[in-house]
Amino acid sequence: MVVDRLSDGKRIAQLLASELTGHEDTFSILSIVDSDADVEPTDDGALAYAVAADDERVAEVYVQPDRTRIEFIAHPDVTAEAADEEGLRVRPKAVRPPRTLVFVEDGAQVKWTLPAFRALVAALEADADESN
């Protein structure tokens, strides 16, 4: 039997980590930190790992039984726009500082998140250029 859809939150998070760490030079400034290989999905979302740039968290990845949730900490406006353009479900998180939540409900949608991470990297690089 062929499975048409991958909707296991933990597996989706693993696919995302693989994309961020091994497939694009664009993401070379990003690293996976505080990874919990034994994380068990929860309904509210369990922290699987964080994404950092220069030792500062820029996103966190949470696993739920049927999806993965990315919380963009840095540049939530830029990442929201990029994820929305890809057709992902996006919503703001009303905390201080604000965050953007992006829901990844299928393994194929992992590729759809990459433009949001590219936009994040571009914004981080622009920040670095301004401070130099």
Side-chain angles (χ1 to χ4, degrees):
M1 175 182 209
V2 175
V3 176
D4 293 335
R5 195 177 157 190
L6 172 63
S7 61
D8 175 303
K10 185 174 179 177
R11 184 67 184 120
I12 293 169
Q14 291 169 338
L15 289 172
L16 176 59
S18 177
E19 288 291 335
L20 294 176
T21 59
H23 296 292
E24 286 194 33
D25 288 338
T26 305
F27 303 135
S28 64
I29 70 165
L30 301 178
S31 58
I32 303 299
V33 297
D34 301 326
S35 178
D36 181 357
D38 298 323
V39 68
E40 289 300 322
T42 64
D43 289 339
D44 291 333
L47 179 64
Y49 55 86
V51 180
D54 295 325
D55 298 324
E56 183 177 334
R57 281 186 182 204
V58 294
E60 294 174 340
V61 177
Y62 294 84
V63 293
Q64 295 173 272
D66 59 347
R67 67 184 177 194
T68 292
R69 179 181 80 242
I70 305 166
E71 292 193 13
F72 286 99
I73 300 165
H75 297 284
D77 50 344
V78 171
T79 55
E81 183 178 331
D84 185 58
E85 287 176 4
E86 292 299 314
L88 291 166
R89 194 162 63 109
V90 177
R91 74 176 177 84
K93 184 173 183 179
V95 295
R96 292 266 180 233
R99 293 182 176 202
T100 291
L101 305 182
V102 175
F103 298 91
V104 186
E105 299 173 349
D106 185 303
Q109 290 181 346
V110 167
K111 294 280 189 188
W112 300 2
T113 69
L114 299 183
F117 281 99
R118 284 186 205 108
L120 173 62
V121 167
L124 292 169
E125 289 175 341
D127 289 350
D129 288 344
E130 286 178 11
S131 66
N132 288 334

